[in-house]
Amino acid sequence: MLAEKKERVILGIDPGTAIMGYGVILEKGSKIELLSLGVVKMGHLDDHFLKLQRIFEKTMGLLETYKPDALAIEAPFYGKNIQVTLKLGRAQGIAMAAALSKNIPVTEYAPRKIKQSITGKGTASKEQVAAMLQRLLNFNETPEFLDATDGLAVAVCHSFQKIPTGGNSKSYTGWEAFVSDNKKRIK
């Protein structure tokens, strides 16, 4: 069995079609340190496909610069407007595809799970999440957009979950395979 790395880099992304937020952290054992956070602005682009291209290119650039061991991404929330949800899902899918093309494992987190992980409260505001991250990672700069700290929050949430990045987690091809492998868990 492969030994788990002592250090790992985690890229967190808050997908969006107007602004995509990202944060990169270095995890050393139980300590985490901020490497980078920022946003990709796409409000000036009119074409949805140009926005997707920009997301892909920027994500690939982050992957090449920081060489993360894992990508954590915020799941799209389900709003009333199905078109917005569809566009967010595409933005998320493009970022995921970039990581998967580099064989980087991807983990998705619900917005509520991320807030709960950072602040202890699943209904925390973006400002509360940002303030907690500033204390946790000891940085004073206030990002121009809260989307940057949202991306950072996804990375920190992933670190808190302690999900190994080695390929030693079991995956299944269907329910039958899962059930046959887990007979003791079935009542």
Side-chain angles (χ1 to χ4, degrees):
M1 185 169 154
L2 294 171
E4 187 66 21
K5 284 174 62 174
K6 299 264 189 247
E7 291 185 2
R8 69 178 177 165
V9 175
I10 302 169
L11 169 61
I13 291 183
D14 175 27
T17 55
I19 299 173
M20 177 183 92
Y22 65 89
V24 186
I25 61 170
L26 172 62
E27 180 186 81
K28 296 178 182 178
S30 63
K31 296 188 186 327
I32 53 175
E33 143 187 349
L34 174 64
L35 295 180
S36 179
L37 79 154
V39 294
V40 180
K41 298 177 192 174
M42 293 164 284
H44 63 287
L45 298 172
D46 291 333
D47 186 310
H48 181 65
F49 295 103
L50 286 176
K51 292 178 180 186
L52 295 177
Q53 180 181 10
R54 177 108 167 99
I55 291 167
F56 184 80
E57 289 169 351
K58 184 60 178 182
T59 304
M60 289 298 282
L62 290 167
L63 296 172
E64 289 164 15
T65 301
Y66 294 102
K67 305 202 178 339
D69 299 292
L71 171 74
I73 193 161
E74 185 174 315
F77 58 90
Y78 303 100
K80 292 179 182 173
N81 186 335
I82 192 67
Q83 289 302 316
V84 170
T85 304
L86 177 64
K87 286 178 180 179
L88 279 173
R90 287 177 178 167
Q92 181 197 36
I94 287 290
M96 292 166 72
L100 293 171
S101 76
K102 299 268 188 191
N103 293 317
I104 296 170
V106 175
T107 307
E108 179 182 56
Y109 294 98
R112 190 174 192 89
K113 168 79 173 176
I114 296 163
K115 292 174 185 177
Q116 172 80 34
S117 169
I118 303 302
T119 68
K121 187 175 168 189
T123 57
S125 69
K126 287 177 173 273
E127 292 82 6
Q128 289 171 316
V129 170
M132 185 62 78
L133 288 169
Q134 284 178 314
R135 276 186 243 127
L136 182 68
L137 294 167
N138 200 22
F139 67 95
N140 296 323
E141 313 83 51
T142 303
E144 184 181 354
F145 294 96
L146 290 171
D147 300 273
T149 50
D150 284 352
L152 180 59
V154 184
V156 173
C157 173
H158 185 70
S159 176
F160 287 171
Q161 308 311 307
K162 296 299 177 208
I163 297 171
T165 51
N168 46 0
S169 62
K170 179 80 173 160
S171 62
Y172 298 95
T173 55
W175 279 110
E176 291 83 16
F178 176 81
V179 169
S180 70
D181 235 20
N182 293 278
K183 291 181 178 161
K184 293 178 185 169
R185 296 174 67 182
I186 299 171
K187 295 180 181 181

